[in-house]
């Protein structure tokens, strides 16, 4: 491969991202390296994707093994890895059936289409309203951005899909005023709003939403693209609340770094999808689903999931120490290894994340004022301690202390 530079990124790629000022070249566990050989502690986990870190040997083996067997054959055939992964997901969740997509956004697109079609067939075409929440994020298809609760992602892309309304998150009264038996086909929510700023739904709210959906014959869709796959210490976050959705979407950690999404549903809903009603060329492909099977095997073990909260406690301890020293966080929130630290002074967000990179630790942002850490779920104690030592140095530069 010929040598390319960060400047070539701006020359050859469309400008929808503003990547760091280097080219990332390799990763191992929770560390990665740039093209100048500099090493970074990774608290971003590929945006909550690399659940077992970079290049986990068992994931690499699963990929290699499948690469020598069958990569892609189309959905005219079924393959062992897709069936096995679907069986794992069904046996460990509320769902009876799975549809595989290639991303979280696609999984949500499929969920929203399924919900609309379900309501159309069971109740008629008037029941098409989708209720979502302000500040939510569900992906980048036109349907997803319209359903998502952030206007900036749909401005200028209209005409947008219709009959979509929004309520304030954690405000049951507002939802009550919008939902109706005649019109509402589905309510979609993230159990913890991720991109919006790591804002957990209250237990009362989640239970109330379920009840309102039941009373109004509306489907409840949990978007667990970010909260799912062990991130909060349960396989899926809904399992903390004893509230089951009708449809759930998963992606990110499911593939541990390979592109895959899943939309899961109970039989009464899933049975609406008949041959030809929905589909994708690459969904269910054996390469992605075989990696998904290995990712599932590694993550869905009680010891592994329990350890997520042990690591999360260490993160929180470090955040508390940083706050004691710099008095910079208004609140540190989240569940498990989905942690957001809201800054008192949001104008410092960019400065802090850039200085973190300078010091060799990669942290993400969420919303306009939150530092987000969503590392690999198997991040080691040494990596956590080293990452926070670098984070501390970054804050000492920013605050001049
Ligand atoms: C909750 C949620 N839903 C959907 C998506 C979209 O997933 P993808 O980028 O894989 O399309 C994201 C991505 O950040 C997400 O956090």
């Amino acid at each position: 491969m010929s040598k390319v530079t960060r400047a070539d990124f701006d020359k050859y790629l469309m400008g929808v991202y503003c990547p760091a000022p280097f080219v990332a070249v390799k990763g191992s566990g929770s560390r990665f390296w740039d093209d100048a050989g500099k090493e970074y502690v990774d608290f971003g986990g590929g945006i909550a994707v690399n659940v077992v870190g970079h290049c986990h040997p068992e994931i690499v083996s699963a990929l290699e093994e499948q690469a020598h067997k069958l990569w892609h054959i189309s959905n005219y055939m079924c393959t062992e890895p897709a069936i096995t992964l679907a069986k794992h997901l069904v046996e460990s969740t509320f769902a009876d059936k799975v549809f595989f997509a290639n991303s979280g956004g696609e999984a949500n697109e499929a969920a929203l289409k399924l919900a609309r079609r379900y309501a159309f067939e069971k109740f008629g075409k008037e029941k098409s309203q989708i209720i979502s929440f302000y500040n939510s994020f569900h992906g980048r298809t036109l349907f997803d951005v319209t359903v998502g609760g952030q206007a900036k992602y749909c401005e200028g892309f209209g005409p947008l899909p219709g009959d979509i309304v929004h309520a304030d998150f954690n405000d049951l009264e507002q939802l009550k005023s919008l939902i109706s038996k005649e019109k509402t086909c589905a309510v979609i929510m993230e159990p913890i709003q991720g991109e919006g700023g790591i804002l957990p739904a209250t237990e009362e709210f989640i239970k109330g939403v379920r009840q309102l959906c039941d009373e109004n014959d509306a489907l409840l869709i949990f978007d667990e693209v970010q909260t799912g796959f062990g991130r909060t210490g349960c396989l899926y976050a809904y399992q903390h609340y004893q509230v089951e959705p009708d449809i759930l979407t998963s992606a990110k950690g499911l593939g541990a770094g390979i592109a895959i999404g899943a939309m899961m549903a109970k039989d009464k809903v899933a049975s609406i999808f008949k041959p030809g009603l929905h589909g994708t060329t690459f969904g269910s492909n054996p390469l992605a689903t075989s990696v998904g099977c290995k990712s599932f095997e590694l993550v869905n073990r009680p010891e592994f999931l329990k350890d997520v909260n042990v690591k999360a406690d260490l993160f929180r301890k470090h955040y508390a120490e940083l706050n004691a020293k710099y008095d910079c966080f208004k609140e540190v929130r989240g569940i498990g290894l989905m942690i957001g630290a809201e800054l008192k002074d949001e104008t410092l967000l960019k400065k802090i994340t850039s200085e973190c990179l300078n010091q060799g630790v990669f942290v993400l942002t969420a919303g306009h004022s939150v530092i987000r850490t969503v590392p690999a779920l198997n991040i080691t104690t040494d990596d956590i301690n080293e990452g926070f030592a670098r984070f501390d140095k970054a804050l000492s530069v920013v605050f001049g202390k």
Side-chain angles (χ1 to χ4, degrees):
M1 232 188 292
S2 67
K3 177 95 181 124
V4 292
T5 64
R6 171 64 179 79
D8 290 328
F9 175 90
D10 295 331
K11 187 166 172 198
Y12 296 114
L13 281 104
M14 290 199 195
V16 291
Y17 310 112
C18 311
F22 54 77
V23 179
V25 290
K26 68 171 184 177
S28 173
S30 285
R31 308 258 175 153
F32 68 91
W33 287 263
D34 70 17
D35 52 344
K38 181 173 165 181
E39 172 245 284
Y40 302 80
V41 176
D42 188 356
F43 281 176
I47 320 187
V49 166
N50 305 323
V51 277
V52 287
H54 297 282
C55 300
H56 188 287
E58 290 188 54
I59 297 281
V60 173
S61 298
L63 185 65
E64 275 176 357
E65 208 177 290
Q66 189 59 40
H68 290 287
K69 281 193 200 157
L70 187 66
W71 289 44
H72 177 80
I73 187 148
S74 89
N75 284 308
Y76 281 96
M77 314 284 159
C78 62
T79 65
E80 286 173 351
I83 299 169
T84 308
L85 182 56
K87 184 166 181 275
H88 286 326
L89 291 171
V90 163
E91 286 175 354
S92 46
T93 67
F94 75 100
D96 299 311
K97 292 283 192 308
V98 181
F99 168 82
F100 288 116
N102 309 288
S103 67
E106 267 185 47
N108 282 329
E109 178 81 22
L112 295 164
K113 281 179 70 182
L114 177 60
R116 279 259 172 98
R117 185 74 189 205
Y118 173 82
F120 173 81
E121 291 193 14
K122 298 275 175 196
F123 304 100
K125 67 177 175 20
E126 298 308 318
K127 198 168 162 73
S128 61
Q129 180 192 60
I130 289 163
I131 305 181
S132 166
F133 297 97
Y134 290 117
N135 212 34
S136 63
F137 183 80
H138 298 296
R140 300 290 193 150
T141 71
L142 200 56
F143 207 169
D144 291 338
V145 289
T146 314
V147 167
Q150 304 186 53
K152 64 181 179 194
Y153 295 127
C154 6
E155 265 160 27
F157 291 115
L160 303 172
D163 213 5
I164 295 164
V165 295
H166 297 89
D168 283 334
F169 195 55
N170 277 334
D171 187 336
L172 218 45
E173 288 309 308
Q174 262 198 45
L175 179 62
K176 217 180 268 179
S177 71
L178 291 173
I179 199 166
S180 72
K181 215 170 188 139
E182 299 69 41
K183 289 203 64 193
T184 311
C185 112
V187 176
I188 181 168
M189 65 180 282
E190 299 158 82
I192 304 169
Q193 289 191 333
E195 301 302 307
I198 314 292
L199 296 151
T202 63
E203 186 164 351
E204 185 198 358
F205 184 67
I206 293 200
K207 291 192 161 140
V209 175
R210 176 72 270 178
Q211 195 185 335
L212 284 174
C213 284
D214 290 341
E215 288 166 8
N216 291 283
D217 293 328
L219 298 175
L220 175 57
I221 306 170
F222 281 162
D223 176 346
E224 291 233 29
V225 168
Q226 193 159 158
T227 53
F229 227 70
R231 177 72 30 209
T232 66
C234 279
L235 186 63
Y236 288 99
Y238 81 85
Q239 292 162 332
H240 290 288
Y241 302 97
Q242 293 87 45
V243 170
E244 290 188 346
D246 301 294
I247 304 176
L248 182 147
T249 54
S250 182
K252 291 195 183 273
L254 173 60
I258 206 160
I260 186 169
M263 188 269 285
M264 314 177 215
K266 296 208 197 243
D267 259 337
K268 75 161 186 180
V269 187
S271 58
I272 294 296
F273 264 3
K274 301 272 176 353
L277 260 192
H278 192 62
T280 152
T281 296
F282 290 114
S284 291
N285 87 78
L287 209 54
T289 48
S290 64
V291 174
C293 284
K294 182 53 76 179
S295 178
F296 181 92
E297 200 183 292
L298 294 170
V299 168
N300 194 38
R301 289 180 290 123
E303 326 81 78
F304 185 94
L305 291 171
K306 208 164 147 219
D307 215 28
V308 168
N309 278 310
V310 175
K311 292 168 197 300
D313 286 345
L314 185 55
F315 264 78
R316 284 173 180 281
K317 177 178 153 285
H318 279 296
Y319 269 120
E321 281 167 12
L322 291 182
N323 214 17
K325 206 159 163 187
Y326 301 102
D327 190 26
C328 52
F329 304 128
K330 200 190 279 179
E331 188 183 22
V332 177
R333 55 183 183 247
I335 306 179
L337 282 170
M338 185 168 176
I339 302 176
E342 184 171 2
L343 291 174
K344 284 190 170 165
D345 180 355
E346 65 181 64
T347 65
L348 293 178
L349 187 61
K350 179 85 191 85
K351 206 166 170 194
I352 292 174
T353 54
S354 302
E355 191 51 39
C356 278
L357 266 190
N358 251 348
Q359 297 297 336
V361 58
F362 175 45
V363 298
L364 298 167
T365 64
H368 47 80
S369 58
V370 174
I371 291 179
R372 171 172 44 157
T373 41
V374 281
L377 305 179
N378 65 346
I379 187 169
T380 63
T381 302
D382 276 356
D383 287 339
I384 298 173
N385 292 338
E386 180 57 27
F388 273 99
R390 296 178 190 187
F391 199 161
D392 189 350
K393 275 192 199 141
L395 292 181
S396 80
V397 171
V398 171
F399 291 104
K401 291 196 195 176

